[in-house]
Amino acid sequence: MNYPYSEVDRIAKMIPTVLGITIDKALDMNPELKEAYDNESRVKELIDVARDLEGLPRHSSTHAAGVVIASNPLVEYVPLQKNEDMIVTQFTMGTLEELGLLKMDFLGLRTLTVMQDTVKNIKDNRGLDIDLDKIDFEDEKVYSMIGEGKTVGVFQLESAGMTSFMKELRPDNLEDIIAGISLYRPGPMAEIPRYVESKNNPDKVQYITPELEPILGVSYGVMVYQEQVMQIVRDLAGYSLGRSDLVRRAMSKKKHKVMEEERRNFIYGIVDETGNVEVPGCLRNGISEEAANKIFDQMMDFASYAFNKSHAAAYAVVGYQTAYLMCYYPAEYIAAMLNSIMGSNEKVAYYIRFAEQLGIQVLPPDINESNSGFTVKGNTIRFGLSAIKNVGVPVIESIVKDREEKDKFKNFNDFCNKIDTSAVNKRAVESLIKSGAFDSLGVYRSKLMAVFEKLLDSVSNERKRNITGQINLFGDLVQDETPIQIQYPNIEEFNKKYLLAMEKEMTGIYLSGHPLDDYEKSLKMLTSHKVSDLIVSDVLEEAVTVGENSTKIKDGTKVIVGGLISTVTRKITKNNAMMAFITLEDLFGTIEVIVFPKTYDNYRNLINEDEMVIINGRVSVREDEPTKILCEEISPLVNVSNEKIFILIKDKSMLTPTTKEIKITFKDNLGATPVYLCTADDRKRYLIDRQGWLHSDYDTISMLKEMFGESNVKVM
């Protein structure tokens, strides 16, 4: 049989769709594929290559927290290899266990350090000693905060999906949080509506058999934990603790075959050759075969996503403790978080913005007030000097030591004369000036930038000449000279845009303001989403987590975002066309935007660093990749007028033609005043897209009234 090439391609495409099983099994199951294999050499070659590859490792991965322990060096037991910077075994965890090696999972949580630092901040700022193990775990105010979705910074509960779940669940005890962490994963998420419904309506909870109520009552009749399955097989079928743990292991390793073999044991029990009953089974305990099968079917379904309660409980305790700290001591907790994520500018900016929303002022760096890390005073947080670029910890320690021993710095001259110039270099001082750390001394940054090098050189040279206690050639004891003074040049301060740019350069964020501050209202009106809406905040959720992050933003969702283009990377494609990768920053975060060649050609004039723009596009969500936006249109960001133009039309069918008519008629008179079309039949109003906004001057309004009627156009 001679298949045409198109038919070979069609048949070949079947191969990857059936390779969840062995190739030989796939051939047996698919007659068309088998016929092609027997009669067409090209298909046979493809399948033979696939057979050669079958069973080979696809890739080499590293367990996030697994540590293998042996009595001697591991190289004496198993082959090793290097994955990036880590030494790992070449065997899988199952093989290692069969060889008798001990494999332990050690999960290090940065959150624990954050909590410890928060307790210290509370002691320093308020004089209170907090023991997190003795706090009230039934605090209504804490549960109310979680139930209202105010979970920023709360361990395991701050992702968008988890926040939404907590708002539905409205937990009022620790058991709810434990269940929430266990349910919010692929698989058990399907049980979330049932759990919420049962919690709100306990009378509707039903059990297959009354014996299940003491076991599943805590989770409102929903099977949530591995421990519940272990208790079911023990209490209903008479399993021993050891055998019930074997069932748990089979579930956790997704061994469905083993679970199916246990069905008979669960229902009918196990009797040895001498007639002794090893496992009674459900029937001997008075449970019907029909009920036993239903229960086991539930356990089989549950085996795909079973989770152990002990793990979720530990996470829930940490989650509640962080919620408690955020509820009662937000300034101290946010300061501790900022110290833990120092170096990640995006995350620092996110939490600073959040602190300001809570009414907690984040003060800029100050040479007389700041320490190495973020510190708390009252209800304010002081920016840490170690978050400034080019200013290392040794430099900060030297400055703080001199400040404590010689008193605070009165002015910049005093600073230069007091510090150890051998420990504090010019580059560090320049960075401190640019970040605004000397602003409290009352001198423009422009003036400090003009004189700091000369002043430091003078102080350093003078100290070399006049070392205290040195005797000169004529025998006179050299005395300390009067501190060096300098005259500042008579120049103006840098403009605000340049000052903000310096702060961003040194700290990664804007401190004394933001270039978009004047456009905040415009961004709210012109955009559909903030950048932070498109990315999940998982700052404190470590790489190994109980839950999977989720967001309502799906791949392909159309969005409108606006902000400042902070970086532009241009690339030439294989077709010799130009495209760009830009980083867009708004007041809440940053996101990568991909501009393909056709779009790039249309809007190249707007694709520049520091350009303020509005971007229409679609969200690109890929596994293990940051969320991106695929750009479709770009327009300049302008300040929206306080006025609005309202135009009355007959019904919704006139929206599109009216919008086109306005854009064509007023193509030379577009402006920043929003235009709304109001439908007379259903009394709704629709905002025209940004490309159709107009000026609100007399001539424009007069033309609109001529087009639509005097009484149908209003400016408010």
Side-chain angles (χ1 to χ4, degrees):
M1 185 182 296
N2 187 18
Y3 289 89
Y5 274 98
S6 60
E7 187 69 4
V8 173
D9 289 342
R10 185 185 69 79
I11 293 172
K13 287 175 182 176
M14 296 180 193
I15 299 173
T17 66
V18 297
L19 289 191
I21 54 178
T22 65
I23 293 173
D24 290 334
K25 184 71 173 175
L27 291 171
D28 291 339
M29 293 174 60
N30 194 319
E32 187 179 7
L33 189 62
K34 179 70 166 65
E35 184 181 4
Y37 177 76
D38 292 336
N39 297 287
E40 174 55 58
S41 60
R42 286 167 291 178
V43 174
K44 185 178 187 301
E45 288 173 5
L46 281 170
I47 293 179
D48 286 342
V49 169
R51 184 182 279 111
D52 291 338
L53 296 174
E54 187 177 28
L56 295 176
R58 185 178 62 180
H59 66 285
S60 175
S61 59
T62 303
H63 192 287
V67 176
V68 183
I69 301 171
S71 56
N72 292 315
L74 277 175
V75 72
E76 297 180 13
Y77 300 101
V78 293
L80 306 177
Q81 69 180 49
K82 193 170 185 180
N83 271 11
E84 296 179 351
D85 295 328
M86 291 178 286
I87 304 297
V88 299
T89 67
Q90 293 187 32
F91 290 169
T92 61
M93 62 180 184
T95 305
L96 293 171
E97 289 175 349
E98 291 172 5
L99 290 172
L101 294 172
L102 178 63
K103 182 188 73 69
M104 300 288 287
D105 290 355
F106 293 99
L107 179 60
L109 293 178
R110 179 170 50 190
T111 309
L112 299 178
T113 302
V114 171
M115 292 161 61
Q116 184 181 34
D117 291 346
T118 303
V119 170
K120 183 179 182 301
N121 288 343
I122 295 169
K123 174 67 174 175
D124 294 342
N125 188 43
R126 307 190 188 213
L128 299 176
D129 290 307
I130 303 295
D131 187 344
L132 289 175
D133 294 327
K134 295 180 180 179
I135 61 174
D136 182 6
F137 280 86
E138 297 180 1
D139 192 311
E140 292 183 4
K141 188 176 179 182
V142 176
Y143 287 114
S144 175
M145 183 187 81
I146 295 172
E148 291 170 5
K150 299 175 181 178
T151 56
V152 173
V154 178
F155 179 66
Q156 285 291 304
L157 304 183
E158 71 170 338
S159 70
M162 201 56 166
T163 298
S164 178
F165 178 24
M166 288 297 111
K167 289 169 75 173
E168 287 183 41
L169 182 62
R170 292 200 167 272
D172 53 22
N173 56 67
L174 197 62
E175 281 287 351
D176 285 342
I177 297 179
I178 296 170
I181 289 173
S182 299
L183 286 169
Y184 193 73
R185 297 179 302 115
M189 292 181 82
E191 295 292 334
I192 287 177
R194 181 183 163 201
Y195 185 93
V196 174
E197 175 69 17
S198 298
K199 172 180 166 58
N200 295 329
N201 302 281
D203 296 339
K204 294 183 179 180
V205 178
Q206 295 181 340
Y207 303 96
I208 296 174
T209 180
E211 287 82 356
L212 288 178
E213 184 171 0
I215 303 170
L216 301 181
V218 71
S219 52
Y220 310 106
V222 180
M223 204 176 291
V224 178
Y225 312 113
Q226 290 178 5
E227 287 90 340
Q228 287 175 323
V229 172
M230 292 172 66
Q231 192 173 351
I232 288 172
V233 298
R234 291 202 314 272
D235 292 359
L236 275 63
Y239 278 45
S240 66
L241 283 168
R243 192 172 190 91
S244 68
D245 190 55
L246 292 176
V247 175
R248 180 199 63 79
R249 287 171 64 87
M251 290 172 57
S252 65
K253 303 300 182 185
K254 312 296 187 287
K255 296 179 180 179
H256 291 270
K257 185 178 179 181
V258 176
M259 287 293 292
E260 199 60 63
E261 291 172 355
E262 286 291 341
R263 179 188 293 270
R264 180 176 178 81
N265 301 334
F266 177 73
I267 298 172
Y268 303 107
I270 302 175
V271 180
D272 64 18
E273 297 175 355
T274 63
N276 291 325
V277 178
E278 292 184 4
V279 175
C282 288
L283 292 179
R284 287 186 178 87
N285 288 333
I287 298 168
S288 69
E289 184 174 353
E290 181 184 3
N293 268 305
K294 285 183 179 179
I295 294 169
F296 201 87
D297 286 340
Q298 280 191 8
M299 291 194 297
M300 281 293 292
D301 294 338
F302 180 70
S304 300
Y305 50 77
F307 199 75
N308 55 315
K309 184 177 183 179
S310 55
H311 190 174
Y315 270 31
V317 168
V318 174
Y320 180 89
Q321 289 172 332
T322 57
Y324 181 90
L325 293 172
M326 180 62 85
C327 183
Y328 289 104
Y329 309 101
E332 290 85 352
Y333 184 57
I334 293 173
M337 284 197 297
L338 288 169
N339 284 325
S340 76
I341 58 176
M342 201 180 296
S344 176
N345 299 332
E346 194 172 320
K347 294 174 182 178
V348 168
Y350 174 84
Y351 277 107
I352 286 178
R353 180 68 61 173
F354 174 67
E356 291 171 347
Q357 290 173 359
L358 294 180
I360 300 169
Q361 187 179 4
V362 180
L363 303 173
D366 189 310
I367 199 66
N368 276 325
E369 301 294 339
S370 295
N371 290 325
S372 179
F374 289 83
T375 53
V376 186
K377 187 173 183 180
N379 197 41
T380 63
I381 298 173
R382 175 68 70 176
F383 200 90
L385 296 179
S386 59
I388 301 172
K389 191 177 179 181
N390 305 324
V391 183
V393 174
V395 172
I396 299 167
E397 289 177 347
S398 176
I399 292 173
V400 172
K401 180 183 176 183
D402 290 331
R403 186 178 73 196
E404 290 175 348
E405 292 179 352
K406 304 174 184 178
D407 205 359
K408 291 184 177 182
F409 310 114
K410 299 185 180 79
N411 49 52
F412 189 67
N413 286 24
D414 187 41
F415 168 81
C416 293
N417 283 299
K418 283 181 177 177
I419 63 169
D420 181 357
T421 52
S422 64
V424 183
N425 56 44
K426 293 179 184 177
R427 193 179 185 192
V429 174
E430 179 184 13
S431 297
L432 289 168
I433 294 172
K434 287 183 174 181
S435 70
F438 292 102
D439 286 2
S440 62
L441 300 182
V443 181
Y444 289 159
R445 292 185 211 176
S446 59
K447 294 182 178 182
L448 295 178
M449 290 293 291
V451 304
F452 82 94
E453 288 187 272
K454 186 184 296 183
L455 183 54
L456 287 172
D457 285 340
S458 299
V459 171
S460 181
N461 292 333
E462 190 65 23
R463 287 178 181 174
K464 288 177 183 178
R465 287 195 302 269
N466 299 325
I467 300 174
T468 303
Q470 177 178 308
I471 297 178
N472 66 16
L473 182 63
F474 302 101
D476 296 328
L477 185 66
V478 176
Q479 302 296 325
D480 288 336
E481 299 293 329
T482 303
I484 293 175
Q485 301 291 328
I486 195 164
Q487 194 71 31
Y488 294 109
N490 186 20
I491 56 177
E492 293 294 322
E493 176 62 298
F494 299 127
N495 62 46
K496 182 181 179 181
K497 184 177 180 181
Y498 188 66
L499 291 174
L500 291 174
M502 288 195 300
E503 293 171 4
K504 182 71 181 290
E505 178 192 0
M506 291 299 105
T507 66
I509 59 176
Y510 299 106
L511 296 172
S512 57
H514 196 287
L516 294 171
D517 283 341
D518 296 335
Y519 296 85
E520 186 170 3
K521 177 185 174 185
S522 300
L523 286 170
K524 285 182 180 179
M525 293 190 62
L526 299 176
T527 62
S528 63
H529 294 81
K530 304 189 293 286
V531 166
S532 57
D533 294 335
L534 308 181
I535 52 178
V536 178
S537 171
D538 58 353
V539 175
L540 289 181
E541 295 189 24
E542 307 291 334
V544 183
T545 60
V546 174
E548 295 292 330
N549 287 334
S550 174
T551 174
K552 293 180 180 178
I553 300 298
K554 305 296 182 185
D555 185 50
T557 300
K558 191 168 180 63
V559 297
I560 304 172
V561 294
L564 180 77
I565 297 178
S566 54
T567 63
V568 179
T569 304
R570 295 175 175 84
K571 299 283 186 183
I572 297 177
T573 67
K574 293 179 181 178
N575 298 326
N576 204 32
M578 185 71 77
M579 66 177 294
F581 298 86
I582 67 179
T583 302
L584 183 75
E585 174 181 347
D586 69 2
L587 291 165
F588 302 94
T590 61
I591 194 168
E592 183 180 12
V593 180
I594 302 175
V595 187
F596 291 110
K598 187 176 179 180
T599 308
Y600 182 89
D601 289 339
N602 293 334
Y603 302 104
R604 62 171 64 238
N605 293 336
L606 292 173
I607 303 175
N608 302 299
E609 289 187 6
D610 297 328
E611 194 83 43
M612 296 183 187
V613 295
I614 296 293
I615 291 180
N616 291 45
R618 296 189 181 276
V619 176
S620 174
V621 180
R622 294 289 181 270
E623 188 177 355
D624 299 327
E625 290 184 13
T627 303
K628 300 179 178 64
I629 294 176
L630 307 182
C631 178
E632 295 176 351
E633 295 179 349
I634 306 177
S635 58
L637 171 62
V638 296
N639 257 326
V640 176
S641 167
N642 286 325
E643 295 180 318
K644 299 179 182 65
I645 299 173
F646 296 91
I647 301 172
L648 184 66
I649 58 177
K650 183 179 179 181
D651 54 40
K652 196 174 179 180
S653 65
M654 296 180 63
L655 287 173
T656 301
T658 304
T659 300
K660 288 182 179 179
E661 184 180 6
I662 290 173
K663 288 182 178 180
I664 293 171
T665 306
F666 296 94
K667 64 180 181 180
D668 297 324
N669 199 27
L670 300 177
T673 304
V675 178
Y676 289 86
L677 299 182
C678 306
T679 52
D681 61 341
D682 58 3
R683 303 184 65 83
K684 291 185 178 179
R685 64 182 188 179
Y686 301 86
L687 178 64
I688 291 181
D689 63 82
R690 178 66 186 83
Q691 287 75 15
W693 291 11
L694 306 173
H695 290 303
S696 58
D697 57 85
Y698 177 81
D699 292 338
T700 302
I701 302 304
S702 297
M703 288 179 63
L704 286 171
K705 289 182 177 180
E706 287 180 16
M707 290 173 60
F708 299 102
E710 180 81 22
S711 62
N712 293 331
V713 178
K714 301 289 183 184
V715 180
M716 299 178 67

